[in-house]
Structure formats: structure tokens, C-alpha cells
Amino acid sequence: MNTTTAVQKKRKPESIGSGYLNILAPLIVLVILIAALEFFTRAFGISRFVLPPPTDIIAQTISNFPEIWPHFLFTLKIVAIGFMISVPLGMLIAALFSQYEILVKAISPVIIWLVITPMITLIPLIMLWLGTDPNLRVIVVIIQATPIITLNTLNGFTNIEGEKLELAKSVGASKRQTFIKIIFMNAMPQVFTGIKLGCIFSTIGAISADFVAGTVGLGSRIVQYTKYNSIELSYGCIIIIALIGICLFSIVELIEKRIVLWKN
Amino acid sequence: MENKIFRINRISKSFGSENSDSKVEVIKEISMEILEKEFVVILGNSGCGKSTFLKILGGILPASSGNIEFNGKDYGQEIPRDVLKKFGFVFQNNNLLQWRTTEGNLRFMLEMMHLKGEQWTARIDEMLDIVGLKAYKKEYPHELSGGMRQRVGIARALVHNPDVLILDQPLGALDAITRKMLSYEILNIWKKTQKTVVMVTNNVDEALLLANRIFVLSPVLPTTISHEIQVNIPITARDENIYENQRFNELREMINDIVRSTI
Ligand SMILES: Nc1ncnc2c1ncn2[C@@H]1O[C@H](COP(=O)(O)OP(=O)(O)OP(=O)(O)O)[C@@H](O)[C@H]1O
Ligand SMILES: [Mg+2]
């Protein structure tokens, strides 16, 4: 008697072209959007102080790029360094607190409070404490981005089905094994949500700091260009800032797609 | 076959803190002895405490009182961590790790128990072969059917070559046809691997096909053993034709009467 059936397997071929479509579709939307804005701004004679035609923004930004470049590099540096410190820091704090239920309860409201408080409100004070060295803006980024990463990661660490922990118990897992092989892996999707929000918060933190103090950084450029009526360049800087955030976000998403291959 | 692998002595379990209103007594003074290589089936109504009992047996939960002897050693109310290598636990709803492939789920056991080397890797294939899933090594749980997931769960519980296999309603969530097919598969695995098996089910036919002994639990909390039934159907008669066996039908009648009288 043999009832063991070896089930035959058919693999679905990966649908070709869906990759192209994912890139092409948003690009088409973008082109249509730019064309529409171009048309409306020119056809209805909208004041360039409200919204300059997109082609003017692009043309002027490109011709003034040498002037913008160092500010771009500075902001990129602040965002990138702040982000790269915030991610491990946020995860580490979550990992430590998650070890004790009482700590989770005690610390969660504080983290939420930190997430909600816009750091721009604290920047003048922080600058006062830390001096005005522009590089210290990294600290603003860290204070802005770390709590949201901690919040999401901690959520992932604490929201685990009892059954998963029972599996760990049933194999005699140590506390360390349980954390690394079960709790951390189980939280991976939420960890990535935290990191992606961290991208956005890092960019916000860096620009907020630029607004309050100093003469370097894309944020300070926006203030300057608006002051001198170069509205096209203000818009240009806004777009560049958005691009920094989008690039960071996309990189994280790409890594996530390579790691999180499963569905819940 | 006469060696006693388990000696369970007046195990009780309650949840919630002592002397409070939230305290629930689930199990009351269950005692049983399990022989080596025996197939023991536990039958009982939903919610009567079957999973709780298996979790105590499998070292997942401590008992509130009583003691458990395993392989001649008294471990008190909880089987310690280092002994659990000798156990394989199949959960009520597969409980696979969704971030690991079929193969990865089996490897998880080896990693946790620090079992390294060629022979263990080969054992992963061997176990997947036994449950007929060799072709699905690289699939994630969400890519498998319910029956396949349950089989991965069984293979996972066997991969570290335990002495005792504990199965908590392994076929409960499956359709009738798959369920019947897999029950024969469990029978084959038991014949092939010669393990001591403790299984919970709520299906009388399944119990009679597989068990050497059946324990029926009382339906009211706290539960205790209400009947013990020796299933004296020869191993040679246990196959697709078991329904024609006279003893099978007698026992089935008897157990159904027991179950009916308790409702
Ligand atoms: N951690 C717990 N805390 C409090 N009560 C619990 C806990 N686990 C189980 N119980 C209670 O113990 C009783 C038995 O639960 P158990 O899961 O053992 O039942 P079961 O016989 O396995 O049921 P089923 O056939 O539905 O799986 C139930 O009344 C349940 O509410
Ligand atoms: Mg149960």
C-alpha cells in the first residue's frame, strides 16, 4: 500500500512586460501632468509668482545648477548620514525595549509623542544648544526619523501570534534564538514600513533645519530664491528635494522586494 | 514495545491567577502511561482541553500540578528545554513560518537544535519525500495548498528524528477527501518510522484506523479521562479496507455511543 502521492508541479511563467509597465505608466502620467500644467499656466496667464510654467522651472534650474549643486550635496549628505544612523538606532531601541513588556508600555506614549512633534518647533532651541555648525543638522534628522522607525519596529516585535512563540518553545529555543529567528523575521514587513517612513522623515528633518538657520542646504536656497523673486528656482529646489526623498524611498523598496519574498 | 516512555501522573492545569474570578480549571488529574512506539489517540469535544494537554506533554506549557516522567526521569511539571530535541510537535493549524520556504521550515528545526552536516541536509529531502513534497522545496507557505502545508508541518516535526511525535488535530482543517488520504499517510509514516505518537482528533474513524489505544476526554471543564479503549485491530487489517473489519465496526459503535451519551 502506498498512498503517498508525489504531486506534479507546474510553475507559472513570470508575466513578461509587467516590469516595464510599472515604470512606464507613472512616467506617462508625469509627462501628461507636466504638459497639462504647461498648458494651463500659459493659456490662463497664471502669475509666475503662483506657479511658473514647468519648462521655465526646468530651464532655469538647469542653467543655475552649478550654484545649486553644493547645496544639493550638503542636503544629500545630511539626509543620508542622518538616515543611516536613524535606521540602526531606531531598530536597536525597539529591540531593547521589546525585551520587557513594562518598558514597551512605558515608552510607547513617549515615542508617539516624539513622532507627532514636528522637529521644526525644536530646531531653534537645538541650534541654541548645539551651536550653528550646519553639520549638526544631522542631529535634527536623527531626532525626526528615529522615533517613527522605533514605533513601527516595536509594533512588529510585539505583534506576534502566540502560536509562533509556542513553536519556539516546542523546539527548546533560547531567548536569543527566539528573537532572531522568529520575532525579528516576523516583524520584517513592519520594520521596512518603519524604514520607508524614515526616508520621508529624514528629508523633512533636513529641510526643516535648513529653514530655521544657516545659509547652506536646499531649504535655505528656497528661502533665498523666494526672497529675490526667483520663483522658478524655488520650485526647482523643491523638486530636487522631492527627488532625494523618492530616490531614498525607492532604494529601500528595492531592497525590501529582494528580502520580503513572502506573504502573510 | 513494553517500555514505558511516558508516565503522566495526575496532571492538572488551570489558567489565570490563583484565587481570582478569572481562574479557569481546564484539566483535572489526568494520568496515563504511554508505551514506546505506541500510537495513542486522544478524542474529545471542541474546547475540552486537548491542545492544552498536548502542550503540557510537549513542553510548551507547564502543568499546574502533577508530574511527568519521560524515559524514566521525573521532570516535574514541565519538560525542560534540552529534552525537547526528542519531540516533534505538529500544530493544529500548521504554524509554518511564512518567511521560510518548505525546505527552510524544515531547516529551522535543525538550526534551533544545532544539527549540522550532510546527513541532516539529506534528511530534509528524505522527509519531504515521505510526505510527497520533494518538488515543492523552494515554495513559500502561501504558495501551497492547505493539505500540503499540513504535510510540511508533519515533515518538520520529523526532520530532527525525534522519539515522540505529538500531533494536534493535524487534519482538522482539511476537506474530507484530503483528510482521509492524509490519515493513511500518517499511518504509513508511523509504520515506517516506528515513533511513539500522541495524536488528538475529533474523528472516530481516524482514531480507530491509527490508534493502539484511545483516551476519551470528558466534555465538561475541567476535563479528565472518561474512557480508555484498547484498539485490538491487527496492524495488517489497517488499510483502506478497515471499514469491513468486524472489530472496527464494533469499536466504532461503542465509541459513538460514548460520544453521544456525553452530549
Ligand atoms: N492561555 C489560555 N488562557 C486562558 N484560557 C485558556 C488558554 N488556553 C486555553 N484556554 C481555555 O482552555 C480550554 C481548552 O482549550 P484547548 O485549546 O485546550 O481546547 P481544545 O480541546 O484543543 O479545543 P479544539 O478542539 O477547539 O482545538 C478552553 O476553554 C480555552 O478557553
Ligand atoms: Mg485544540
Side-chain angles (χ1 to χ4, degrees), chain B residues 45-52 54-55 92 168-169 200:
Chain B
N45 284 12
S46 179
C48 78
K50 304 181 297 295
S51 295
T52 307
L54 284 194
K55 282 173 195 170
Q92 196 160 350
D168 190 359
Q169 298 200 72
V200 158

Side-chain angles (χ1 to χ4, degrees), chain B residues 50-111:
Chain B
K50 304 181 297 295
S51 295
T52 307
F53 177 69
L54 284 194
K55 282 173 195 170
I56 294 171
L57 205 61
I60 296 172
L61 283 176
S64 305
S65 66
N67 64 302
I68 307 169
E69 238 176 75
F70 176 69
N71 271 338
K73 259 209 187 122
D74 187 353
Y75 290 114
Q77 275 140 38
E78 187 170 24
I79 308 259
R81 270 179 47 201
D82 54 303
V83 182
L84 295 179
K85 273 186 194 172
K86 297 210 160 69
F87 291 63
F89 202 106
V90 178
F91 288 82
Q92 196 160 350
N93 29 33
N94 75 66
N95 203 5
L96 297 180
L97 302 174
Q98 71 267 27
W99 56 87
R100 282 179 178 247
T101 59
T102 301
E103 187 189 12
N105 266 284
L106 268 63
R107 188 163 305 246
F108 170 77
M109 302 299 272
L110 305 181
E111 288 169 14

Side-chain angles (χ1 to χ4, degrees), chain B residues 188-199:
Chain B
N188 276 331
I189 289 168
W190 177 59
K191 284 182 186 165
K192 247 187 253 178
T193 57
Q194 301 272 304
K195 309 242 175 258
T196 308
V197 182
V198 184
M199 179 173 125

